[in-house]
């Protein structure tokens, strides 16, 4: 009698990110190629607890590489934050003979994966979040698509900002990290950028900048504000009162999480998904796939979660230098 195939389960969890489908496809195709059976778990840890599984075939991941969102759906699962939920999750993995569970998601999802690992489940994490806030990795799936979507939207707001000679605050996503804000600010030539990693809550500097730039004839003033700072609406009101310059706030919101992934996201997702299968094959479970010095590597999940990531100081300083306008 032939030995049953080893099984890899794959799920997406937390905020969706363009490129997650490409990562699912890579796990499925690379897994099948290595002789594994691949099972999809729907709606992240919620689907795990409900045993909502789907058999994955090479064919079932056809025609998804170009699609945003995640065909496996995603969720934020409160029950999995509890010890009981985590015990049950691990039990279900063992009962269903999952040799490895590939978790595509952000920091929170990795914390969940660590709980499974502590209970003897083989896990491999793939960084999937638009926020670029996974400390062990230089890249996270979805970031490139998100910043490009945001950049295009900001360019549009800038047109109307100039026509109306207004100040426009544009709030971008990123949870408590300012990477999206910083990249967008540099790429759109924004007049100012506020990131949680460097924000001192001193609005007098922002106000002074607007007044000075008006004096030298600047017609528009675009401020990129990171979600981690927030309060864009009330900030706009205070700025308008202090400067006399009409000020509006725009929250870009979920548009940043959708859309067809860029080439970069498709490529990284494909490589990370394949790397996850290679790690499983090598027995390197309890790990997270990462990009380090441009290479695909892995870190033990616990170590990955203990790492800290700061904003890129050089980029931050550069954004300030390049937005300085002197007469
Ligand atoms: P992301 O993975 O994008 O950071 P969340 O932080 O919302 O998104 O986490 C996604 C899910 O991962 C949560 O809904 C929960 O089910 C699980 N999770 C988050 N933090 C933990 C934790 N500390 N322990 C166990 N599971 C967690
Ligand atoms: O992690 C991705 C992200 O879009 C963050 O930028 C944002 O803070 C969060 O998810 C929003 O989550 P939700 O979908 O629960 O509103």
């Amino acid at each position: 009698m032939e030995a049953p195939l080893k099984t890899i389960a794959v799920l997406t969890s937390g905020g969706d990110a363009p490129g997650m489908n490409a990562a699912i496809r890579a796990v499925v195709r690379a897994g099948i190629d290595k002789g594994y059976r691949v099972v999809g778990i729907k709606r992240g840890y919620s689907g795990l607890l409900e045993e909502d599984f789907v058999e994955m075939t090479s064919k079932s991941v056809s025609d998804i590489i170009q699609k945003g969102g995640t065909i496996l759906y995603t969720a934020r699962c409160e029950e999995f934050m509890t010890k009981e939920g985590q015990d049950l999750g691990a039990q279900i993995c063992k009962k269903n003979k999952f040799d490895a569970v590939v978790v595509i998601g952000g920091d929170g999802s990795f914390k969940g994966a660590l709980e499974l690992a502590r209970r003897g489940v083989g896990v491999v994490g793939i960084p999937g979040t638009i926020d670029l806030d996974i400390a062990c990795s230089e890249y996270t799936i979805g970031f490139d698509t998100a910043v490009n979507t945001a950049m295009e939207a900001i360019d549009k707001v800038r047109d109307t900002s100039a026509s109306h000679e207004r100040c426009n605050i544009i709030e971008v996503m990123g949870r408590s990290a300012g990477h999206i804000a910083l990249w967008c600010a540099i790429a759109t030539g924004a007049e100012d950028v506020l990131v949680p990693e460097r924000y001192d809550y001193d609005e007098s500097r922002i106000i002074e900048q607007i007044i000075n730039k008006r004096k030298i004839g600047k017609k528009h003033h675009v401020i990129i504000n990171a979600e981690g700072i927030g309060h864009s609406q009330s900030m706009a009101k205070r700025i308008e009162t202090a400067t006399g310059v009409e000020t509006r706030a725009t929250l870009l919101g979920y548009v940043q999480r959708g859309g067809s992934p860029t080439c970069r996201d498709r490529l990284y997702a494909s490589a990370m998904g394949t790397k996850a299968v290679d790690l499983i094959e090598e027995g390197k479970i309890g790990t997270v796939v990462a990009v380090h010095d441009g290479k695909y590597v892995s870190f033990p999940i616990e170590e990955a979660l203990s790492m800290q990531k700061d904003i890129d100081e050089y980029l931050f300083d550069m954004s300030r230098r390049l937005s300085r306008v002197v007469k």
Side-chain angles (χ1 to χ4, degrees):
M1 204 174 79
E2 268 183 53
L5 291 180
K6 287 194 151 199
T7 305
I8 295 176
V10 57
L11 62 82
T12 47
S13 164
D16 65 347
M20 278 184 164
N21 280 328
I24 296 168
R25 172 181 177 271
V27 171
V28 172
R29 295 259 170 103
I32 290 171
D33 183 56
K34 289 278 182 193
Y36 288 91
R37 167 186 172 234
V38 186
V39 172
I41 300 175
K42 291 197 184 164
R43 290 171 292 103
Y45 297 118
S46 300
L48 174 64
L49 298 184
E50 290 158 19
E51 298 190 58
D52 193 357
F53 307 146
V54 55
E55 202 66 34
M56 305 298 283
T57 63
S58 291
K59 190 91 196 306
S60 66
V61 291
S62 283
D63 200 27
I64 64 165
I65 196 167
Q66 78 283 16
K67 291 185 178 147
T70 157
I71 58 158
L72 288 177
Y73 305 96
T74 184
R76 307 207 196 260
C77 175
E78 277 302 314
E79 195 186 345
F80 203 72
M81 303 288 280
T82 65
K83 187 185 166 303
E84 293 70 28
Q86 294 154 11
D87 288 345
L88 178 61
Q91 246 177 51
I92 291 172
C93 291
K94 287 173 192 168
K95 185 181 82 184
N96 286 279
K97 299 195 169 29
F98 294 159
D99 297 288
V101 180
V102 176
V103 173
I104 306 170
D107 235 24
S109 303
F110 288 176
K111 286 179 190 154
L114 177 62
E115 293 305 332
L116 288 178
R118 283 182 174 147
R119 289 162 174 80
V121 178
V123 294
V124 176
I126 295 182
T129 167
I130 64 165
D131 302 336
L132 197 70
D133 63 349
I134 301 286
C136 68
S137 186
E138 283 153 19
Y139 196 70
T140 64
I141 297 167
F143 177 74
D144 191 54
T145 309
V147 286
N148 276 290
T149 301
M151 180 187 75
E152 284 174 17
I154 295 162
D155 285 346
K156 293 186 168 91
V157 175
R158 184 182 166 140
D159 289 346
T160 160
S161 187
S163 307
H164 286 263
E165 300 179 60
R166 280 177 178 156
C167 168
N168 284 76
I169 301 174
I170 303 165
E171 189 173 312
V172 296
M173 278 187 167
R175 203 177 286 202
S176 50
H179 307 290
I180 296 179
L182 182 57
W183 278 59
C184 285
I186 294 168
T188 60
E191 277 59 44
D192 209 345
V193 59
L194 313 177
V195 294
E197 294 88 342
R198 296 288 182 279
Y199 192 55
D200 57 6
Y201 291 87
D202 178 13
E203 285 182 0
S204 63
R205 188 197 60 81
I206 305 170
I207 289 161
E208 197 184 317
Q209 289 250 348
I210 297 170
I211 294 170
N212 287 343
K213 286 190 178 169
R214 285 287 134 151
K215 279 189 193 149
I216 59 164
K218 268 235 158 188
K219 296 290 185 203
H220 65 270
H221 194 100
V222 172
I223 301 172
I224 309 299
N225 186 30
E227 175 190 12
I229 294 169
H231 304 288
S232 296
Q233 299 285 0
S234 56
M235 201 186 278
K237 286 205 180 83
R238 287 192 297 275
I239 286 175
E240 182 166 304
T241 307
T243 60
V245 175
E246 227 183 340
T247 304
R248 297 279 194 273
T250 306
L251 270 66
L252 284 192
Y254 294 104
V255 68
Q256 295 161 94
R257 282 225 308 247
S260 177
T262 59
C263 179
R264 188 177 167 89
D265 274 321
R266 296 180 200 192
L267 188 132
Y268 275 90
S270 300
M272 286 180 171
T274 307
K275 178 76 185 178
V277 172
D278 290 346
L279 289 171
I280 294 165
E281 184 75 351
E282 291 160 21
K284 291 187 185 159
I285 49 174
T287 52
V288 172
V289 175
V291 180
H292 185 73
D293 285 341
K295 302 230 159 37
Y296 299 99
V297 298
S298 67
F299 287 92
I301 195 161
E302 199 152 13
E303 186 186 338
L305 282 168
S306 70
M307 293 163 124
Q308 304 291 322
K309 190 181 211 169
D310 193 10
I311 203 89
D312 186 317
E313 187 60 43
Y314 181 75
L315 290 188
F316 183 70
D317 182 52
M318 181 185 81
S319 78
R320 284 274 149 87
R321 286 167 63 193
L322 299 187
S323 62
R324 227 166 264 149
V325 179
V326 281
K327 209 167 165 197

